Amino acid sequence: KLNSEYLSAYYNRGRLHFEYGEPHKAIDDFTKVIELNPNEPNSYYYRAQAYREIGERKKARADEKIQKKLEKG
């Protein structure tokens, strides 16, 4: 079970995984963040970037669409 107390930890770790070239681990962490807080656009943005890194363009576009929708409010 995910614990919302670790939301920022998952987010920050996801960013680090992405920066260190570990897109699969980044996707895992950003997915946890999204499960805990689905209305936060930055998590979709970074997960989309990680999906692009592994060639998952369709998933990346889906996340980008959600991100833009959330940013518009």
Side-chain angles (χ1 to χ4, degrees), residues 40-70:
E40 209 295 291
N42 288 331
S43 300
Y44 290 97
Y45 171 81
Y46 287 110
R47 189 172 73 172
Q49 300 309 307
Y51 276 137
R52 286 202 186 287
E53 285 286 315
I54 62 169
E56 292 280 355
R57 292 183 193 91
K58 189 174 182 179
K59 290 180 180 180
R61 285 192 300 272
D63 274 1
E64 289 166 347
K65 189 175 183 178
I66 295 168
Q67 174 218 349
K68 289 175 184 171
K69 182 179 177 183
L70 289 171

Side-chain angles (χ1 to χ4, degrees), residues 7-8 11-12 15 30 32-47 63 66-71:
L7 181 71
S8 63
Y11 180 84
N12 291 328
R15 295 273 316 264
F30 289 122
K32 289 174 185 169
V33 174
I34 290 166
E35 288 176 21
L36 291 167
N37 184 9
N39 298 317
E40 209 295 291
N42 288 331
S43 300
Y44 290 97
Y45 171 81
Y46 287 110
R47 189 172 73 172
D63 274 1
I66 295 168
Q67 174 218 349
K68 289 175 184 171
K69 182 179 177 183
L70 289 171
E71 286 178 342

